[in-house]
Amino acid sequence: MNDQLKHLSTRVAKGLMTRREFVGRAAALGVTAAVANSMLATAAKAEGPVKGGTMKIGCSGGESTNTQDPALTASEVPLYNLRHWGETLVDVGADGSIEYRMAESVEGSADAKKWVFKIRKGIPFSNGKDMTPDDVLKTMQRHSNEDSQSGALGIMRGIENMSVDGDNFVVELAAGNADLPYLMSDYHLMIQPGGGMDDPGAGIGTGPYTIEFDEPGVRHGFKRRDDYWDSENRGHAEFSEQIVLNDATARTAALQSGQVHMINRVDPKVAGLLDRAPNLAVKSVAGRGHYVFIMHVDTAPFDNNDLRLALKYAINREELVDKILRGYGTVGNDMPINGGYPLFDDTIPQREFSLEKAAEHYKKSGHDGSPIILRTADGAFPGAVDAAALFQQSAQAAGIPLEIKREPNDGYWSEVWNVQPFCASYWGGRPVQDQMYSTAYLSTADWNDTRFKVPEFDEMLLAARAEIDEAKRKEIYSKMGRMLRDEGGLILPMFNDFVGAVANNVGGYEDDPNGPLMNNKAPIKCWINA
Amino acid sequence: MHPIIKLVAQRLALGLLLLFAASILIFAGTSILPGDVAQQILGQSATPEALENLRRELGLNEPAVSRYFSWLGGVMQGDLGTALTNGRDIAESLGTRLSNTLFLAFWAAVIAVPLAITLGLLAVRYKDRWPDKVISAVTLTTISIPEFMIGYVLIFFLSIQLPQLINGMEFLSDGARNWMLSNLRFSSVALMNDSMTLIEKIKSITLPIMVLTLVVLAHMMRMTRAAILNVMQSAYIETAELKGLGMLKIIRKHAFPNAIAPIVNVVMINLAYLVVGVVVVEVVFAYPGMGQYLVDHVAKRDIPVVQACGLIFAAVYIGLNLVADIVSILANPRLRHPK
């Protein structure tokens, strides 16, 4: 690589030059923005982490009802909390590979039914006790036993038996699952002493920080642990503070005026403007999350595949990415999988916007012309009401009588989503295809919000799950994707990027497609350059 | 018994009855909202088993009436219970939030009330001349702009633009610029915690105080103006004028005391608003007051917390109205000494 560029990238790492200036100079030298950004990451790493200081993050997604109990964690602020004090058996790295945390290795049997996690030794909890395989077992039990209230209960269901064998934690499954290690990276499954059975919200774990103060809906403060096992890579700042800023403008103002070092969820509408501010950079990373319009395939009129196809052709995906996401996203192909997943087949043709095809399928469906009602709400996904209006316009141009019913945000997830036959919604991605499909498209899935129940699809899913040969798996997943694309109840116009913003004096930021702000780990993996 | 004491006793008894009625309304209202606390906690990741387990643990399977009465029993003994969502002691979390809310309301009132009344008096003094028109125009403008907008505008100019402006003043010495940067700092995040000194706390809420002042100013100012103008039509004012008293003195000594009752009523309504109605300002400045606390718990259907907040808000309203009534009576000799 060009020496001049290398020199410039270290200047950026030292904070002597802004990222934007660098990308501009790089472009002048014929280097693409993507390459330029990856050079920056390397340069920042070479400079090395700086220890000390107070990392502040302004974060939306916090309420005064939050708890530190991992089982009940469902929004973003509590998730950052968990990352501070807790760790899981494994993490999913930015490249989609398994990163070992509390487990030092994992081995699966040939039929992918038995998995042995070798647990690290000598790792202390913040209460001083060493973490043992027994703690791991108890944690997993708390999330899967009969009394469990855990949000992870769904993914723990396939487990038949769990046990401790010496230094190992052993999981036995009813049916083979080659992706089991990925399931163990779920954020609910933070290893707690004694499984957290007596005091689940105590916030005691093996993570780099301990709780200093805990004011739900206001702020959460953490202090670095001196006895943290992986202090080279995580926990650089002496203190870390999370300030709950649910208002989008309050967040950007706090970052601009230097009161916080990073913010999550930058509104795409202002991201372009914000990026022009001199002391910060907007960070957007293509993820696996997507915005959807979902139809119940077992309810009239959506039980007619031609009608479903008519609606799928009648949505102008490019326009939605352009106007709703302001370009911070990519078009979807009516299947919940994109290039962010391992084993994705990129030869599946992209569905294009076509009023003729929409009209043709609509005619073929023989629909009686009664209004087709799409329910939406501001809370369904950011811009859901506007997106529905755009959808309505293009559908009406194809002669489809689409009507919008706006629902209140409050109660949307209990009264409309998964209840009404056609509504707007969103999905966060999952680390692997199997988990995404089994969460929402398996006949027996709890959140089968399109009522897609096809035995052939289920069989393929189970076969792929137990298949160790990656080429064969990829082939099965490709078939499943095509099936869902052509027959499913899912209209998936767009995958949304995670958009956050980080001050220029923060080092160590790297894109991670698994979640917003380095999969919620930016506060513990980044550092503050003096 | 003195008639005023009797009146206060009557009002207090009535107030208690109102509180009781309010608690039933709040309970019923929260109960008929769609979904319950278990569903709201688990959100999109709820499975039927997890929901059932959580409901059982939180006691949601009990009939509503028995849940209400066990709550009422607790409150009678001074026990507000614990939040269903995170198991925290309600009295404790509410205490911090309430004191924050009162702190903000107090400082906003300390500035807004005297300012509004003074402006009202000035407006009367210069009735229909330019000071009157400017005062009315400005205050009516600020009351017409939504409070979040005023908040954003102040944040933009004072938190973001001002420091850049100071940095750009190269004709000043570095020392002067640093002094200005550290002393003219308007925080867009109104943090509040126990380790802060009083001065730090007030500095932290400067912007919210400014917003609230701008929002409540017009109402009180206009009422002061109208009430005094009304009195100014009276014969005794004319007498005072004929005696040769100055205009300001007439307003202060003769008109104002007789216009107190309506002014106090409006002031109390605005004080009540400062306590119970500022959730938008709390959100914009991330201020940890009771409004946001209540809204979060309504969203999660956490009935005991909603009940507790509702009772406090209702009590504030009832209490302030009581004060307004008593002041009106005390200010009126005819009511003070009934035949």
Side-chain angles (χ1 to χ4, degrees):
Chain A
M1 189 66 62
N2 190 317
D3 276 348
Q4 191 189 352
L5 268 182
K6 241 184 208 159
H7 168 69
L8 290 177
S9 69
T10 50
R11 280 179 66 80
V12 180
K14 285 177 182 151
L16 297 172
M17 186 176 179
T18 69
R19 184 193 58 92
R20 211 170 357 275
E21 281 165 1
F22 174 74
V23 176
R25 297 277 276 277
L29 290 164
V31 176
T32 65
V35 173
N37 276 324
S38 83
M39 278 188 74
L40 280 185
T42 323
K45 254 199 180 150
E47 281 296 302
V50 178
K51 295 279 174 184
T54 301
M55 179 70 82
K56 289 189 178 176
I57 164 169
C59 197
S60 81
E63 301 96 29
S64 42
T65 49
N66 292 151
T67 110
Q68 295 283 353
D69 180 355
L72 301 180
T73 295
S75 51
E76 213 167 321
V77 167
L79 181 47
Y80 285 102
N81 288 336
L82 299 191
R83 298 281 192 213
H84 277 90
W85 61 256
E87 287 202 87
T88 47
L89 278 182
V90 294
D91 262 357
V92 180
D95 57 355
S97 65
I98 287 284
E99 230 173 65
Y100 294 102
R101 304 306 300 172
M102 291 304 97
E104 64 178 46
S105 65
V106 58
E107 230 169 287
S109 63
D111 59 359
K113 274 189 177 176
K114 185 176 172 188
W115 290 88
V116 179
F117 292 84
K118 188 163 188 228
I119 305 300
R120 280 184 214 271
K121 277 190 192 162
I123 293 186
F125 284 117
S126 53
N127 64 2
K129 287 189 192 139
D130 274 3
M131 189 250 336
T132 65
D134 194 53
D135 294 317
V136 176
L137 176 66
K138 289 240 171 69
T139 299
M140 299 307 168
Q141 281 170 346
R142 185 167 84 86
H143 291 279
S144 60
N145 67 15
E146 282 166 17
D147 297 327
S148 173
Q149 308 157 358
S150 174
L153 192 53
I155 62 169
M156 302 293 279
R157 208 168 265 157
I159 297 177
E160 203 165 57
N161 188 37
M162 297 183 289
S163 57
V164 168
D165 175 21
D167 294 338
N168 298 330
F169 166 63
V170 183
V171 179
E172 282 159 278
L173 303 170
N177 184 352
D179 286 332
L180 181 93
Y182 285 94
L183 298 185
M184 292 294 145
S185 74
D186 187 279
Y187 62 79
H188 296 99
L189 304 177
M190 295 288 165
I191 309 301
Q192 294 176 280
M197 300 253 190
D198 344 302
D199 191 358
I204 293 171
T206 55
Y209 290 89
T210 54
I211 298 176
E212 270 274 278
F213 48 84
D214 186 24
E215 301 166 22
V218 184
R219 55 182 202 144
H220 305 272
F222 303 90
K223 188 179 184 313
R224 184 168 67 195
R225 283 175 60 190
D226 296 328
D227 56 350
Y228 180 56
W229 67 282
D230 192 21
S231 55
E232 251 174 63
N233 298 310
R234 294 185 179 193
H236 302 302
E238 182 67 29
F239 296 96
S240 180
E241 188 175 335
Q242 216 191 141
I243 302 169
V244 179
L245 296 173
N246 287 319
D247 184 72
T249 312
R251 276 201 303 287
T252 48
L255 182 66
Q256 278 183 285
S257 58
Q259 294 175 82
V260 296
H261 294 103
M262 50 180 81
I263 56 173
N264 70 348
R265 288 200 220 167
V266 173
D267 185 348
K269 280 185 206 131
V270 304
L273 286 172
L274 185 66
D275 203 30
R276 282 193 229 150
N279 56 345
L280 56 92
V282 168
K283 303 282 186 185
S284 111
V285 50
R288 305 176 189 124
H290 42 275
Y291 296 161
V292 293
F293 297 105
I294 41 179
M295 307 173 277
H296 286 177
V297 298
D298 61 354
T299 311
F302 309 106
D303 52 355
N304 181 319
N305 196 37
D306 274 306
L307 185 85
R308 298 203 292 270
L309 280 172
L311 287 166
K312 287 174 184 175
Y313 277 113
I315 194 163
N316 189 342
R317 295 151 207 267
E318 302 282 348
E319 185 185 30
L320 287 182
V321 170
D322 215 41
K323 291 189 174 154
I324 304 297
L325 299 176
R326 306 276 169 150
Y328 289 97
T330 45
V331 291
N333 197 16
D334 299 330
M335 49 184 275
I337 305 301
N338 65 354
Y341 283 88
L343 308 179
F344 171 68
D345 178 8
D346 53 16
T347 61
I348 303 176
Q350 171 64 43
R351 174 158 290 133
E352 304 290 345
F353 172 53
S354 161
L355 289 179
E356 297 84 62
K357 278 193 184 160
E360 189 188 312
H361 281 288
Y362 179 68
K363 209 172 150 205
K364 227 163 110 190
S365 76
H367 184 66
D368 58 9
S370 59
I372 295 169
I373 293 171
L374 169 62
R375 284 161 211 268
T376 181
D378 281 321
F381 59 79
V385 175
D386 296 338
L390 290 173
F391 188 13
Q392 183 189 30
Q393 276 180 9
S394 56
Q396 281 177 347
I400 304 171
L402 188 63
E403 269 183 29
I404 299 174
K405 183 155 192 274
R406 192 167 170 177
E407 300 278 353
N409 284 340
D410 192 287
Y412 190 80
W413 302 110
S414 53
E415 301 297 303
V416 179
W417 173 74
N418 216 356
V419 177
Q420 296 293 346
F422 191 23
C423 73
S425 175
Y426 75 96
W427 278 100
R430 297 292 187 273
V432 286
Q433 298 199 31
D434 176 70
Q435 208 185 334
M436 189 65 240
Y437 283 135
S438 7
T439 308
Y441 303 95
L442 190 66
S443 297
T444 52
D446 290 315
W447 308 304
N448 190 333
D449 57 9
T450 53
R451 307 284 187 271
F452 185 72
K453 294 173 184 175
V454 180
E456 199 191 334
F457 185 86
D458 294 355
E459 276 163 31
M460 286 198 284
L461 181 58
L462 296 181
R465 193 182 278 175
E467 181 61 66
I468 304 272
D469 182 343
E470 294 213 332
K472 281 189 194 156
R473 269 185 113 188
K474 186 172 173 180
E475 203 185 303
I476 305 177
Y477 281 143
S478 168
K479 266 192 208 156
M480 289 165 62
R482 286 167 201 260
M483 184 184 230
L484 212 52
R485 172 185 179 273
D486 297 332
E487 295 166 34
L490 176 74
I491 303 173
L492 195 160
M494 51 192 161
F495 284 87
N496 56 301
D497 288 359
F498 299 114
V499 190
V502 178
N504 282 345
N505 61 348
V506 170
Y509 182 90
E510 279 176 335
D511 285 343
D512 185 334
N514 293 299
L517 286 182
M518 302 176 71
N519 200 13
N520 308 104
K521 283 177 270 192
I524 58 170
K525 283 175 130 179
C526 292
W527 58 86
I528 303 160
N529 287 317
Chain B
M1 203 196 295
H2 195 281
I4 289 182
I5 297 178
K6 195 174 156 202
L7 181 107
V8 171
Q10 268 176 357
R11 285 300 179 91
L12 280 178
L14 201 63
L16 282 178
L17 205 65
L18 271 175
L19 281 183
F20 177 68
S23 80
I24 293 179
L25 276 179
I26 297 166
F27 188 86
T30 320
S31 301
I32 56 177
L33 285 174
D36 67 2
V37 62
Q39 216 159 20
Q40 298 300 332
I41 291 177
L42 292 172
Q44 228 192 356
S45 66
T47 57
E49 297 99 307
L51 275 178
E52 188 46 42
N53 288 333
L54 195 56
R55 281 194 184 122
R56 199 171 53 232
E57 191 187 293
L58 297 176
L60 296 180
N61 294 335
E62 301 276 313
V65 177
S66 84
R67 272 187 288 139
Y68 176 76
F69 280 104
S70 75
W71 172 82
L72 192 65
V75 171
M76 294 296 187
Q77 297 161 36
D79 176 18
L80 290 173
T82 52
L84 295 178
T85 42
N86 57 9
R88 290 187 175 231
D89 185 59
I90 295 176
E92 203 185 306
S93 354
L94 200 58
T96 328
R97 296 292 189 129
L98 179 62
S99 67
N100 285 343
T101 287
L102 294 179
F103 184 75
L104 178 59
F106 173 79
W107 286 106
V110 160
I111 292 171
V113 174
L115 187 62
I117 292 177
T118 313
L119 288 176
L121 295 179
L122 283 177
V124 173
R125 170 68 184 81
Y126 298 103
K127 181 170 170 276
D128 292 337
R129 289 170 39 202
W130 68 265
D132 179 27
K133 293 199 169 134
V134 169
I135 291 170
S136 284
V138 171
T139 54
L140 287 177
T141 309
T142 60
I143 202 179
S144 315
I145 303 173
E147 53 214 270
F148 72 89
M149 192 65 209
I150 302 182
Y152 290 163
V153 170
L154 290 182
I155 287 176
F156 179 74
F157 285 110
L158 296 179
S159 306
I160 298 174
Q161 295 293 315
L162 186 64
Q164 291 179 10
L165 187 75
I166 295 173
N167 265 328
M169 292 182 187
E170 292 185 355
F171 52 88
L172 290 173
S173 71
D174 282 359
R177 264 188 286 170
N178 286 335
W179 183 88
M180 284 172 77
L181 280 178
S182 59
N183 285 287
L184 286 175
R185 215 184 147 80
F186 294 92
S187 169
S188 73
V189 181
L191 288 179
M192 192 57 46
N193 60 60
D194 295 337
S195 61
M196 292 161 85
T197 64
L198 182 66
I199 299 293
E200 280 171 342
K201 282 185 177 176
I202 294 175
K203 264 186 136 172
S204 164
I205 60 170
T206 314
L207 290 185
I209 291 177
M210 286 164 90
V211 173
L212 290 177
T213 303
L214 290 174
V215 168
V216 296
L217 211 50
H219 195 188
M220 291 187 284
M221 189 285 290
R222 296 287 296 181
M223 190 46 133
T224 308
R225 184 179 176 278
I228 293 179
L229 279 179
N230 194 24
V231 177
M232 295 297 270
Q233 316 289 330
S234 317
Y236 62 85
I237 298 290
E238 215 166 314
T239 316
E241 257 173 66
L242 293 175
K243 269 198 306 190
L245 288 183
M247 193 61 179
L248 272 180
K249 199 168 182 187
I250 294 177
I251 294 175
R252 193 161 46 86
K253 293 200 83 169
H254 295 279
F256 186 63
N258 287 303
I260 275 185
I263 296 175
V264 165
N265 269 303
V266 169
V267 169
M268 288 304 153
I269 288 178
N270 280 290
L271 288 188
Y273 166 79
L274 287 178
V275 176
V276 309
V278 299
V279 60
V280 174
V281 173
E282 287 178 16
V283 171
V284 169
F285 295 101
Y287 186 72
M290 266 182 77
Q292 186 60 48
Y293 182 73
L294 173 64
V295 170
D296 283 351
H297 286 86
V298 171
K300 287 282 189 291
R301 315 285 185 257
D302 196 334
I303 294 183
V305 180
V306 177
Q307 293 273 68
C309 292
L311 279 189
I312 289 175
F313 284 161
V316 166
Y317 250 100
I318 294 169
L320 287 174
N321 271 309
L322 183 65
V323 172
D325 284 353
I326 295 171
V327 172
S328 313
I329 292 167
L330 290 179
N332 188 332
R334 267 174 303 187
L335 294 174
R336 205 160 55 207
H337 307 288
K339 289 247 169 83

